[in-house]
Amino acid sequence: MKTLRETIIIAIRDAAEVRGSAVASELTDGTVLLQSGLDSLGFAILVAQLEEDLGYDPFTMMDEPYYPRTLGEFVAVYERFAPKS
Amino acid sequence: MPPLSHRLSEIEDGSDVWCSPTLGRITGKELRSVLSVLDSGVYRGRRVAIGVMPSVELLATLVLLDGVAETIIILPPEEEPEARARRLSGCAVDHLLEDGGVGFVKGLLALRSSVGAEVAGEKTVSLEKAHGTSPLPTAWMLPTSGTTGVSKLIRHTSETLTRGMAGRRSCSDFIWGSLYSFWRFAGLQVFLQSWTSMTTLIVCDEAEGFDRRVEWLASLGCSALSATPSMWRKLAMWPEFNRFALKQITLGGEIADQPVLDMLRRRFPSARITHVYASTEAGVGLSVKDGMAGFPVSFLKEPPGDVRLAVSAEGHLLLRPPSSDGSADREENEWTDSGDVVQVRGDRVMFLGRANGSINVGGDKVMPDEVESVIRELPEVVFVQVRAKRSSIVGNMVEAAVRLGPGAVLTQEMKKKIVAHCRTRLEAFKVPSVVVGLEEITLTSSGKLSRTKL
């Protein structure tokens, strides 16, 4: 079973591929998403792909709009809104 | 232009005017006999609304009322009762005809029984009598497709509706068929084309469903068929499409792109393939017969018909139909904006899509039609629908829903191939963000591809 973090990293690479851009070979918590090879449309594709994989889109669930800057922040958002099982 | 019924005297007794799966062949003699005993005098100078009835009844009603009624109002058949009641009260209608219409089908069935033969002999109310000495210039109010909201009624006459139609000689041996509703501009065009060229028309009712109608058209020998590009693509997937022996292929209502034109050319090498640009509002703008998508840029200087064409600063196609008095030159402000976006590429003017049909991707506008035509260049793809997918990040993204040919599976590799192909041909923001399988192909009541997500 893949961890949430692994699922997100795979989705980032797929989204970058759809956009025809290359992602930095190593992604760390400190990697700035919009400098990792994803543009804003790539970011949108990533969120749509994750909604398909995980069943939720945290950005539609927030009361206050918040856009994570780094990979670490991004993973944290998905953790925070993950459905309680 | 003389009223439609004037053609009646020219139709030979034994020729098939209409051919219907339920009523069989309706000959010129039958049509004349039945119409001559129907009393159209009560409709003279009146405003007559036409609701839901069998298609044959509609056509007979139109023949009977053109030149007799002041106005024929064709009601959008799918309209909800409340909306229709509002429309009727706003139109000051004298007569509402539905179900049995003017009684043509009933009269035909009576004529075909022994009882009817006697009845027909007794009554002698003639069409000439109903017309009086001077036929009226009957107005036809036709519903728009209403894809952007409530359907509007647009004023026409049988003259504006038959403008630019081929004469009798060029298509005398055709058997016409239509996959359009006869309540719509495009369906009426097919009816009027067959009527003015005095050739047989196969009349099916929409309620029978697409597959059933296609089967009838094939088995009744349809050789001239008019449909939207989406309908043609759907037809091409139908296993018995090869049963058709088509001499005339007409495309309209949507953008005819090169792959659909090429597909039809391959399947029917000797057919004449025409794509027409028309709208309920403006009538027939132009027709193109060279088998190439778009139209020659020379049409902007020398229009092929009597509708003048231009491109606005925003890239919209502008139309200027001839004025009612026939003079070609009218004031500059009488150009009509078609709402269709075009682009001049070399010696061709290409259609990109509806100005208001664009998908807004983070502020950039994407024409679904343009993306669809690029995806259709891939031989594996038989049907594609490009639509907006809501995104919490950029508002909307471009989603491509595709149907592949028999045996092909929409794998991850295929999705990547589609995206990669788009990337070579389109600007980055137009490339689909998501590729999914298209489960069901939905066409609107006017035969256009529905872009509402299923």
Side-chain angles (χ1 to χ4, degrees):
Chain A
M1 174 105 184
K2 286 194 286 274
T3 65
L4 183 61
R5 198 190 144 83
E6 284 163 351
T7 304
I8 288 172
I9 288 178
I10 291 169
I12 289 174
R13 296 199 186 281
D14 285 347
E17 196 180 337
V18 170
R19 297 294 295 149
S21 56
V23 175
S25 56
E26 202 171 326
L27 294 171
T28 65
D29 275 351
T31 305
V32 175
L33 286 171
L34 290 178
Q35 289 169 4
S36 69
L38 286 184
D39 57 4
S40 64
L41 193 50
F43 190 68
I45 294 169
L46 169 65
V47 172
Q49 181 59 49
L50 286 172
E51 187 182 4
E52 209 166 288
D53 295 342
L54 305 169
Y56 64 101
D57 174 358
F59 299 96
T60 61
M61 300 157 82
M62 298 170 173
D63 297 329
E64 290 274 313
Y66 165 73
Y67 295 101
R69 229 171 46 85
T70 64
L71 177 63
E73 290 168 6
F74 188 79
V75 174
V77 166
Y78 275 84
E79 279 170 347
R80 181 145 56 92
F81 285 92
K84 307 275 181 290
S85 51
Chain B
M1 182 177 154
L4 296 185
S5 57
H6 276 212
R7 286 267 176 199
L8 277 171
S9 58
E10 299 170 44
I11 302 173
E12 286 168 28
D13 275 356
S15 69
D16 299 329
V17 182
W18 297 327
C19 198
S20 139
T22 46
L23 296 165
R25 297 171 192 285
I26 301 170
T27 64
K29 187 179 183 180
E30 284 181 315
L31 188 62
R32 257 196 306 274
S33 302
V34 179
L35 286 179
S36 67
V37 297
L38 295 174
D39 185 3
S40 60
V42 293
Y43 306 113
R44 185 165 172 84
R46 301 289 179 171
R47 295 169 64 81
V48 185
I50 299 179
V52 178
M53 58 179 72
S55 293
V56 166
E57 190 68 49
L58 169 73
L59 303 187
T61 301
L62 293 172
V63 171
L64 193 72
L65 295 185
D66 186 46
V68 171
E70 182 222 80
T71 307
I72 300 170
I73 300 155
I74 300 185
L75 300 170
E78 71 287 349
E79 198 160 61
E80 299 291 330
E82 278 175 29
R84 204 178 76 151
R86 270 200 305 278
R87 190 188 294 280
L88 282 173
S89 63
C91 285
V93 168
D94 298 311
H95 297 275
L96 169 62
L97 294 175
E98 37 190 357
D99 305 322
V102 290
F104 174 76
V105 173
K106 198 176 152 201
L108 179 70
L109 296 174
L111 177 80
R112 285 175 177 182
S113 71
S114 55
V115 189
E118 291 160 29
V119 175
E122 285 166 19
K123 239 178 148 186
T124 52
V125 178
S126 68
L127 288 169
E128 285 71 23
K129 190 175 161 191
H131 284 144
T133 43
S134 54
L136 298 176
T138 304
W140 297 40
M141 302 295 288
L142 308 186
T144 60
S145 57
T147 33
T148 50
V150 181
S151 168
K152 287 180 294 187
L153 290 172
I154 307 293
R155 188 186 181 87
H156 278 276
T157 61
S158 53
E159 183 156 12
T160 63
L161 289 168
T162 51
R163 193 193 292 146
M165 278 188 182
R168 276 181 74 172
R169 284 206 197 119
S170 62
C171 47
S172 57
D173 58 342
F174 288 175
I175 297 178
W176 282 93
S178 167
L179 286 168
Y180 297 114
S181 159
F182 290 108
W183 274 255
R184 297 289 182 194
F185 178 79
L188 285 169
Q189 289 272 300
V190 177
F191 158 57
L192 291 168
Q193 175 66 79
S194 69
W195 186 259
T196 53
S197 56
M198 293 174 69
T199 47
T200 306
L201 171 66
I202 300 171
V203 185
C204 300
D205 278 296
E206 260 193 302
E208 298 291 349
F210 189 83
D211 294 357
R212 195 84 194 275
R213 284 185 293 153
V214 171
E215 209 176 304
W216 274 327
L217 289 170
S219 56
L220 292 171
C222 173
S223 61
L225 187 61
S226 181
T228 61
S230 286
M231 286 170 167
W232 283 112
R233 292 183 198 106
K234 204 170 163 178
L235 271 173
M237 285 189 264
W238 192 67
E240 294 185 74
F241 188 42
N242 293 330
R243 276 174 63 198
F244 279 96
L246 295 175
K247 297 174 185 169
Q248 167 67 47
I249 290 170
T250 310
L251 304 94
E254 289 176 311
I255 298 169
D257 62 6
Q258 203 56 51
V260 77
L261 292 168
D262 290 347
M263 178 273 286
L264 291 167
R265 173 56 65 225
R266 273 196 308 276
R267 298 264 195 139
F268 302 99
S270 58
R272 185 171 70 182
I273 300 176
T274 312
H275 59 96
V276 296
Y277 175 83
S279 68
T280 313
E281 288 89 339
V284 175
L286 60 102
S287 66
V288 183
K289 296 186 177 69
D290 62 6
M292 302 294 288
F295 62 89
V297 81
S298 63
F299 281 13
L300 296 176
K301 282 209 174 74
E302 299 153 35
D306 46 13
V307 176
R308 295 178 61 186
L309 308 163
V311 180
S312 75
E314 311 86 59
H316 294 199
L317 183 67
L318 306 177
L319 305 168
R320 193 158 75 170
S323 58
S324 45
D325 61 17
S327 64
D329 273 318
R330 299 202 297 177
E331 291 306 309
E332 197 62 27
N333 60 11
E334 288 188 68
W335 286 100
T336 316
D337 188 336
S338 66
D340 287 307
V341 181
V342 294
Q343 190 179 53
V344 178
R345 292 182 194 157
D347 59 355
R348 224 53 199 176
V349 181
M350 305 298 286
F351 290 98
L352 299 186
R354 296 288 300 162
N356 59 8
S358 61
I359 303 171
N360 193 330
V361 181
D364 288 316
K365 294 215 169 65
V366 179
M367 293 291 174
D369 314 70
E370 185 186 8
V371 182
E372 282 167 3
S373 73
V374 167
I375 294 176
R376 272 191 230 108
E377 291 168 355
L378 293 168
E380 297 91 336
V381 175
V382 288
F383 219 98
V384 57
Q385 178 190 51
V386 167
R387 55 204 183 189
K389 179 180 167 68
R390 291 288 304 156
S391 164
S392 52
I393 309 298
V394 287
N396 289 294
M397 296 190 296
V398 177
E399 178 175 85
V402 295
R403 172 81 71 88
L404 303 180
V409 184
L410 188 62
T411 56
Q412 285 304 320
E413 283 64 42
M414 189 61 217
K415 290 183 184 180
K416 284 177 186 171
K417 184 176 174 184
I418 291 169
V419 170
H421 175 68
C422 289
R423 210 181 296 125
T424 63
R425 305 271 283 104
L426 297 165
E427 290 160 81
F429 65 90
K430 295 177 181 172
V431 174
S433 299
V434 186
V435 179
V436 296
L438 179 63
E439 309 75 23
E440 204 180 321
I441 297 161
T442 321
L443 303 185
T444 64
S445 60
S446 46
K448 300 176 190 186
L449 183 62
S450 168
R451 290 218 171 75
T452 318
K453 197 170 170 182
L454 300 167

